[in-house]
């Protein structure tokens, strides 16, 4: 049993949390909505995994880097943590992109902010 892969996943997830808090991107902006979006993504991808497993497409194989802990048949704990990381990364990237586009639009038309103000 090794915690290498799980450790790297948790380290990467911690990086997403720091990015989120620093930029007020996802959970730091609206925790309730962020939790719902993250949960919806996790449920979708877990359903995708279950469908793939039932069709014989996805099969778990033992690894010297993984813990060996399973949350369901053919679904290791690392898969769940990876899916949480994947959804969190995606939402942080979406928010970063929105912010970058808003800054770009504001820089291209500086008078727009003043015209939009009530």
């Amino acid at each position: 049993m090794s915690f290498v892969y799980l450790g790297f996943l948790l380290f990467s997830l911690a990086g997403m949390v720091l990015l989120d808090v620093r930029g007020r991107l996802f959970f730091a902006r609206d925790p309730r909505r962020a939790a719902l979006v993250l949960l919806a993504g996790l449920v979708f991808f877990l359903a995708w995994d279950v469908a793939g497993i039932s069709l014989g497409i996805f099969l778990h194989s033992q690894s010297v880097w993984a813990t060996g802990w399973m949350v369901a048949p053919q679904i290791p704990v690392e898969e769940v943590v990876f899916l949480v990381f994947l959804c969190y990364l995606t939402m942080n990237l979406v928010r970063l992109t929105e912010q970058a586009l808003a800054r770009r639009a504001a820089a291209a038309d500086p008078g727009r902010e003043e015209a939009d103000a009530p």
Side-chain angles (χ1 to χ4, degrees), residues 20 25-40:
D20 181 9
L25 299 173
F26 189 44
F27 275 97
R29 185 171 186 181
D30 189 348
R32 180 176 289 158
R33 186 171 16 176
L36 289 172
V37 169
L38 190 69
L39 183 63

Side-chain angles (χ1 to χ4, degrees), residues 8-118:
F8 277 113
L9 287 172
L10 292 173
F11 180 75
S12 300
L13 193 56
M16 286 297 102
V17 171
L18 289 174
L19 181 65
D20 181 9
V21 170
R22 186 174 188 279
R24 293 192 44 81
L25 299 173
F26 189 44
F27 275 97
R29 185 171 186 181
D30 189 348
R32 180 176 289 158
R33 186 171 16 176
L36 289 172
V37 169
L38 190 69
L39 183 63
L42 179 62
V43 168
F44 172 80
F45 283 116
L46 283 175
W48 182 286
D49 280 354
V50 168
I53 290 166
S54 67
L55 293 171
I57 298 169
F58 304 149
L59 297 174
H60 173 71
S61 59
Q62 295 297 329
S63 170
V64 297
W65 307 108
T67 61
W69 297 340
M70 306 297 274
V71 295
Q74 302 293 324
I75 301 178
V77 69
E78 292 89 354
E79 177 70 7
V80 176
V81 175
F82 172 74
L83 293 175
V84 168
F85 168 75
L86 179 68
C87 293
Y88 200 2
L89 170 66
T90 302
M91 291 314 302
N92 278 344
L93 288 173
V94 166
R95 290 291 303 136
L96 280 169
T97 303
E98 287 174 350
Q99 288 179 354
L101 291 174
R103 280 193 303 271
R104 183 177 177 189
D109 189 7
R112 190 175 116 203
E113 287 180 14
E114 295 170 6
D116 290 342

